[in-house]
Amino acid sequence: MKNELIYFATALMFFTRIPVPFTIPYSGEIMNKSQKYFSWIGFLVGVINAAILYFSTQLFNLEIGIVLMMIGSVLLTGAFHEDGFTDMCDSFGGGYGKEKILTIMKDSRVGAYGTIGIILLFVLKFFSIQALGTVDLWKTLTIVILAHTVSRFISGTMIYTHQYVTDIDVSKSKPLANKPLDGMALVIGFISVLISFALIPDWRLIGAFALAYLGKICMGWYFKKHIGGYTGDCLGAVQQVCEVLFYLGTMIVWKFI
Protein backbone atom coordinates (compact mmCIF):
# COMPACT_ATOMS: atom_id res chain seq x y z
CA MET A 1 0.00 0.00 0.00
CA LYS A 2 2.87 2.37 0.78
CA ASN A 3 4.37 1.79 -2.66
CA GLU A 4 1.02 2.45 -4.35
CA LEU A 5 0.73 5.73 -2.44
CA ILE A 6 4.20 6.69 -3.70
CA TYR A 7 3.20 5.86 -7.28
CA PHE A 8 0.02 7.93 -6.99
CA ALA A 9 1.87 10.86 -5.39
CA THR A 10 4.48 10.71 -8.15
CA ALA A 11 1.77 10.97 -10.82
CA LEU A 12 0.12 13.79 -8.85
CA MET A 13 3.37 15.78 -8.63
CA PHE A 14 4.21 15.11 -12.27
CA PHE A 15 0.88 16.19 -13.77
CA THR A 16 -0.34 18.88 -11.37
CA ARG A 17 0.83 21.70 -9.12
CA ILE A 18 -0.96 20.15 -6.14
CA PRO A 19 1.58 19.93 -3.28
CA VAL A 20 2.28 16.54 -1.73
CA PRO A 21 2.71 16.92 2.07
CA PHE A 22 5.57 14.45 2.35
CA THR A 23 8.84 13.64 0.64
CA ILE A 24 8.76 10.80 -1.86
CA PRO A 25 11.66 8.98 -3.51
CA TYR A 26 12.17 9.20 -7.24
CA SER A 27 13.48 6.75 -9.80
CA GLY A 28 12.75 5.75 -13.36
CA GLU A 29 11.02 2.62 -12.06
CA ILE A 30 8.72 4.64 -9.80
CA MET A 31 7.92 6.99 -12.68
CA ASN A 32 6.97 4.06 -14.89
CA LYS A 33 4.82 2.40 -12.23
CA SER A 34 2.98 5.68 -11.63
CA GLN A 35 1.41 5.40 -15.09
CA LYS A 36 -1.41 3.25 -13.69
CA TYR A 37 -2.71 6.38 -11.94
CA PHE A 38 -2.53 8.81 -14.88
CA SER A 39 -6.27 8.60 -15.55
CA TRP A 40 -6.99 8.91 -11.82
CA ILE A 41 -5.16 12.23 -11.85
CA GLY A 42 -7.35 13.13 -14.82
CA PHE A 43 -10.41 12.26 -12.73
CA LEU A 44 -9.20 14.56 -9.93
CA VAL A 45 -8.41 17.38 -12.35
CA GLY A 46 -11.82 16.91 -13.95
CA VAL A 47 -13.61 17.15 -10.60
CA ILE A 48 -11.78 20.36 -9.73
CA ASN A 49 -12.53 21.81 -13.17
CA ALA A 50 -16.20 20.89 -12.86
CA ALA A 51 -16.35 22.54 -9.43
CA ILE A 52 -14.80 25.74 -10.80
CA LEU A 53 -17.26 25.75 -13.70
CA TYR A 54 -20.26 25.22 -11.42
CA PHE A 55 -19.45 27.92 -8.87
CA SER A 56 -18.36 30.36 -11.59
CA THR A 57 -21.66 29.99 -13.41
CA GLN A 58 -23.49 30.72 -10.15
CA LEU A 59 -21.59 34.00 -9.80
CA PHE A 60 -21.41 35.03 -13.45
CA ASN A 61 -22.63 33.27 -16.59
CA LEU A 62 -21.74 30.14 -18.53
CA GLU A 63 -19.22 31.80 -20.84
CA ILE A 64 -17.24 33.45 -18.04
CA GLY A 65 -17.46 30.21 -16.07
CA ILE A 66 -15.84 28.27 -18.92
CA VAL A 67 -13.02 30.81 -19.24
CA LEU A 68 -12.37 30.72 -15.49
CA MET A 69 -12.42 26.92 -15.60
CA MET A 70 -9.86 26.89 -18.42
CA ILE A 71 -7.65 29.32 -16.48
CA GLY A 72 -7.99 27.16 -13.38
CA SER A 73 -7.05 24.07 -15.37
CA VAL A 74 -3.91 25.70 -16.72
CA LEU A 75 -2.89 26.86 -13.24
CA LEU A 76 -3.68 23.46 -11.75
CA THR A 77 -1.61 21.48 -14.24
CA GLY A 78 1.01 24.07 -15.10
CA ALA A 79 -0.15 23.84 -18.74
CA PHE A 80 1.69 20.51 -18.85
CA HIS A 81 -0.29 18.94 -21.68
CA GLU A 82 -0.88 22.24 -23.46
CA ASP A 83 2.89 22.69 -23.64
CA GLY A 84 3.19 19.28 -25.28
CA PHE A 85 0.52 20.22 -27.80
CA THR A 86 2.25 23.46 -28.80
CA ASP A 87 5.61 21.66 -29.13
CA MET A 88 3.96 19.03 -31.29
CA CYS A 89 2.40 21.67 -33.56
CA ASP A 90 5.70 23.52 -33.95
CA SER A 91 7.80 20.43 -34.57
CA PHE A 92 5.58 18.62 -37.05
CA GLY A 93 4.47 21.86 -38.68
CA GLY A 94 7.93 23.34 -39.13
CA GLY A 95 10.18 20.28 -39.30
CA TYR A 96 10.92 17.80 -42.04
CA GLY A 97 12.49 14.47 -41.18
CA LYS A 98 12.84 12.81 -37.79
CA GLU A 99 15.97 14.66 -36.63
CA LYS A 100 14.62 18.11 -37.51
CA ILE A 101 11.24 17.39 -35.93
CA LEU A 102 12.82 16.23 -32.66
CA THR A 103 15.19 19.21 -32.64
CA ILE A 104 12.30 21.67 -32.91
CA MET A 105 10.32 19.72 -30.34
CA LYS A 106 13.02 20.27 -27.71
CA ASP A 107 13.20 24.02 -28.43
CA SER A 108 11.59 25.92 -25.54
CA ARG A 109 10.47 28.75 -27.82
CA VAL A 110 6.92 28.74 -29.22
CA GLY A 111 6.58 29.34 -32.96
CA ALA A 112 3.73 30.27 -35.27
CA TYR A 113 2.40 26.73 -35.59
CA GLY A 114 2.29 26.26 -31.83
CA THR A 115 0.65 29.63 -31.22
CA ILE A 116 -1.99 29.14 -33.89
CA GLY A 117 -2.59 25.55 -32.81
CA ILE A 118 -3.15 26.28 -29.11
CA ILE A 119 -5.42 29.26 -29.87
CA LEU A 120 -7.59 27.14 -32.16
CA LEU A 121 -7.62 24.32 -29.61
CA PHE A 122 -8.77 26.64 -26.81
CA VAL A 123 -11.42 28.21 -29.04
CA LEU A 124 -12.76 24.80 -30.03
CA LYS A 125 -12.72 23.64 -26.41
CA PHE A 126 -14.57 26.77 -25.27
CA PHE A 127 -17.36 26.57 -27.85
CA SER A 128 -17.75 22.82 -27.38
CA ILE A 129 -18.28 23.14 -23.63
CA GLN A 130 -20.51 26.18 -24.17
CA ALA A 131 -22.73 24.23 -26.56
CA LEU A 132 -22.99 21.34 -24.09
CA GLY A 133 -23.61 23.65 -21.12
CA THR A 134 -26.41 25.42 -22.90
CA VAL A 135 -28.25 22.11 -23.25
CA ASP A 136 -27.71 20.80 -19.69
CA LEU A 137 -25.22 22.30 -17.24
CA TRP A 138 -25.34 19.43 -14.75
CA LYS A 139 -24.62 16.82 -17.41
CA THR A 140 -21.87 19.04 -18.80
CA LEU A 141 -20.12 19.09 -15.41
CA THR A 142 -19.98 15.30 -15.57
CA ILE A 143 -18.81 15.39 -19.18
CA VAL A 144 -15.90 17.61 -18.10
CA ILE A 145 -14.88 14.98 -15.53
CA LEU A 146 -15.25 12.24 -18.13
CA ALA A 147 -13.25 14.12 -20.77
CA HIS A 148 -10.28 14.69 -18.47
CA THR A 149 -10.33 11.09 -17.26
CA VAL A 150 -10.83 9.44 -20.65
CA SER A 151 -8.27 11.62 -22.46
CA ARG A 152 -5.53 10.81 -19.95
CA PHE A 153 -6.36 7.12 -20.06
CA ILE A 154 -6.26 7.06 -23.86
CA SER A 155 -3.04 9.06 -23.93
CA GLY A 156 -1.49 6.55 -21.53
CA THR A 157 -2.35 3.65 -23.82
CA MET A 158 0.18 5.05 -26.31
CA ILE A 159 2.83 3.54 -24.04
CA TYR A 160 1.38 0.09 -24.82
CA THR A 161 0.63 0.50 -28.51
CA HIS A 162 3.54 2.58 -29.81
CA GLN A 163 7.31 2.78 -29.52
CA TYR A 164 8.95 5.45 -27.41
CA VAL A 165 11.37 7.61 -29.41
CA THR A 166 14.53 8.53 -27.53
CA ASP A 167 15.13 12.26 -27.53
CA ILE A 168 18.16 13.38 -29.49
CA ASP A 169 19.41 15.42 -26.53
CA VAL A 170 18.99 13.20 -23.49
CA SER A 171 20.15 15.97 -21.16
CA LYS A 172 17.04 18.00 -22.06
CA SER A 173 14.61 15.11 -21.80
CA LYS A 174 11.74 15.33 -19.37
CA PRO A 175 11.17 12.37 -17.04
CA LEU A 176 8.59 10.13 -18.65
CA ALA A 177 6.85 6.83 -18.03
CA ASN A 178 7.63 5.06 -21.29
CA LYS A 179 7.67 1.35 -20.49
CA PRO A 180 4.42 -0.65 -20.55
CA LEU A 181 3.45 -2.46 -17.37
CA ASP A 182 1.33 -5.60 -17.08
CA GLY A 183 -2.34 -5.66 -17.95
CA MET A 184 -3.35 -4.95 -14.36
CA ALA A 185 -2.03 -1.40 -14.69
CA LEU A 186 -4.43 -0.81 -17.57
CA VAL A 187 -7.27 -2.27 -15.52
CA ILE A 188 -6.51 0.07 -12.60
CA GLY A 189 -6.51 3.03 -14.97
CA PHE A 190 -9.71 1.92 -16.70
CA ILE A 191 -11.54 1.67 -13.36
CA SER A 192 -11.38 5.47 -13.13
CA VAL A 193 -13.01 5.63 -16.58
CA LEU A 194 -15.79 3.29 -15.47
CA ILE A 195 -16.42 5.37 -12.35
CA SER A 196 -16.62 8.48 -14.51
CA PHE A 197 -19.14 6.83 -16.81
CA ALA A 198 -21.16 5.72 -13.77
CA LEU A 199 -21.69 9.39 -12.89
CA ILE A 200 -23.75 9.78 -16.06
CA PRO A 201 -25.01 6.37 -17.21
CA ASP A 202 -25.64 7.21 -20.85
CA TRP A 203 -24.65 4.43 -23.23
CA ARG A 204 -24.42 6.92 -26.09
CA LEU A 205 -21.21 8.31 -24.59
CA ILE A 206 -19.47 5.14 -25.74
CA GLY A 207 -19.56 6.84 -29.14
CA ALA A 208 -17.74 9.86 -27.71
CA PHE A 209 -15.12 7.54 -26.22
CA ALA A 210 -14.75 5.81 -29.60
CA LEU A 211 -14.22 9.12 -31.39
CA ALA A 212 -11.57 10.16 -28.86
CA TYR A 213 -9.78 6.82 -29.25
CA LEU A 214 -9.97 7.12 -33.04
CA GLY A 215 -8.18 10.45 -32.67
CA LYS A 216 -5.42 8.70 -30.75
CA ILE A 217 -5.12 6.05 -33.46
CA CYS A 218 -4.79 8.69 -36.19
CA MET A 219 -2.24 10.71 -34.22
CA GLY A 220 -0.30 7.56 -33.37
CA TRP A 221 -0.15 6.63 -37.05
CA TYR A 222 1.08 10.13 -37.91
CA PHE A 223 3.76 10.09 -35.21
CA LYS A 224 4.96 6.65 -36.24
CA LYS A 225 5.15 7.69 -39.90
CA HIS A 226 7.29 10.76 -39.23
CA ILE A 227 9.40 9.95 -36.15
CA GLY A 228 8.87 6.24 -35.60
CA GLY A 229 6.85 6.51 -32.40
CA TYR A 230 5.98 8.99 -29.68
CA THR A 231 7.65 11.39 -27.25
CA GLY A 232 6.40 12.99 -24.05
CA ASP A 233 5.17 16.00 -25.99
CA CYS A 234 3.21 13.67 -28.26
CA LEU A 235 1.44 12.20 -25.24
CA GLY A 236 0.48 15.69 -24.07
CA ALA A 237 -0.87 16.50 -27.52
CA VAL A 238 -2.91 13.29 -27.61
CA GLN A 239 -4.45 14.16 -24.24
CA GLN A 240 -5.50 17.62 -25.39
CA VAL A 241 -6.92 16.44 -28.71
CA CYS A 242 -8.76 13.50 -27.17
CA GLU A 243 -10.29 15.77 -24.52
CA VAL A 244 -11.73 18.04 -27.21
CA LEU A 245 -12.81 15.06 -29.32
CA PHE A 246 -14.74 13.71 -26.35
CA TYR A 247 -16.64 17.01 -26.08
CA LEU A 248 -17.36 16.96 -29.82
CA GLY A 249 -18.33 13.30 -29.71
CA THR A 250 -20.78 14.02 -26.90
CA MET A 251 -22.36 16.77 -29.00
CA ILE A 252 -22.72 14.38 -31.92
CA VAL A 253 -24.31 11.50 -30.00
CA TRP A 254 -26.65 13.79 -28.06
CA LYS A 255 -27.80 15.40 -31.30
CA PHE A 256 -28.26 12.39 -33.54
CA ILE A 257 -28.83 9.38 -31.26
Side-chain angles (χ1 to χ4, degrees), residues 128-203:
S128 299
I129 298 174
Q130 182 194 40
L132 293 170
T134 302
V135 175
D136 190 318
L137 178 60
W138 281 104
K139 286 185 177 181
T140 301
L141 297 175
T142 309
I143 294 301
V144 167
I145 298 174
L146 256 170
H148 280 278
T149 307
V150 164
S151 60
R152 283 166 175 79
F153 174 78
I154 292 176
S155 176
T157 62
M158 289 281 292
I159 300 173
Y160 294 81
T161 59
H162 292 75
Q163 182 69 34
Y164 174 67
V165 179
T166 304
D167 295 315
I168 56 175
D169 188 348
V170 178
S171 65
K172 296 182 180 179
S173 301
K174 300 175 184 178
L176 173 68
N178 54 39
K179 296 180 180 179
L181 302 177
D182 55 37
M184 183 55 63
L186 277 176
V187 172
I188 292 174
F190 193 65
I191 289 174
S192 65
V193 176
L194 293 178
I195 292 175
S196 299
F197 272 103
L199 296 175
I200 177 172
D202 187 339
W203 66 269

Side-chain angles (χ1 to χ4, degrees), residues 10-196:
T10 298
L12 184 67
M13 291 179 62
F14 189 63
F15 287 115
T16 74
R17 296 288 179 86
I18 299 175
V20 175
F22 53 86
T23 302
I24 60 174
Y26 175 80
S27 68
E29 180 183 3
I30 291 175
M31 187 70 241
N32 271 305
K33 290 186 176 180
S34 72
Q35 67 182 258
K36 67 182 76 173
Y37 295 112
F38 287 0
S39 58
W40 286 96
I41 301 303
F43 181 86
L44 176 61
V45 171
V47 168
I48 295 174
N49 273 266
I52 294 174
L53 179 59
Y54 173 73
F55 288 111
S56 296
T57 55
Q58 302 309 300
L59 294 173
F60 309 106
N61 58 25
L62 177 60
E63 289 72 22
I64 293 177
I66 296 172
V67 173
L68 290 176
M69 180 192 70
M70 293 171 68
I71 293 173
S73 181
V74 168
L75 293 175
L76 179 64
T77 64
F80 187 83
H81 296 96
E82 290 84 351
D83 177 66
F85 179 82
T86 56
D87 286 342
M88 185 274 295
C89 290
D90 276 333
S91 58
F92 285 95
Y96 183 79
K98 178 179 178 179
E99 183 175 349
K100 184 63 175 178
I101 289 173
L102 293 178
T103 298
I104 297 175
M105 193 174 290
K106 303 313 297 181
D107 192 333
S108 59
R109 294 169 295 183
V110 179
Y113 288 104
T115 302
I116 295 170
I118 197 65
I119 290 174
L120 293 176
L121 180 80
F122 280 160
V123 169
L124 186 56
K125 187 180 296 187
F126 173 86
F127 283 109
S128 299
I129 298 174
Q130 182 194 40
L132 293 170
T134 302
V135 175
D136 190 318
L137 178 60
W138 281 104
K139 286 185 177 181
T140 301
L141 297 175
T142 309
I143 294 301
V144 167
I145 298 174
L146 256 170
H148 280 278
T149 307
V150 164
S151 60
R152 283 166 175 79
F153 174 78
I154 292 176
S155 176
T157 62
M158 289 281 292
I159 300 173
Y160 294 81
T161 59
H162 292 75
Q163 182 69 34
Y164 174 67
V165 179
T166 304
D167 295 315
I168 56 175
D169 188 348
V170 178
S171 65
K172 296 182 180 179
S173 301
K174 300 175 184 178
L176 173 68
N178 54 39
K179 296 180 180 179
L181 302 177
D182 55 37
M184 183 55 63
L186 277 176
V187 172
I188 292 174
F190 193 65
I191 289 174
S192 65
V193 176
L194 293 178
I195 292 175
S196 299

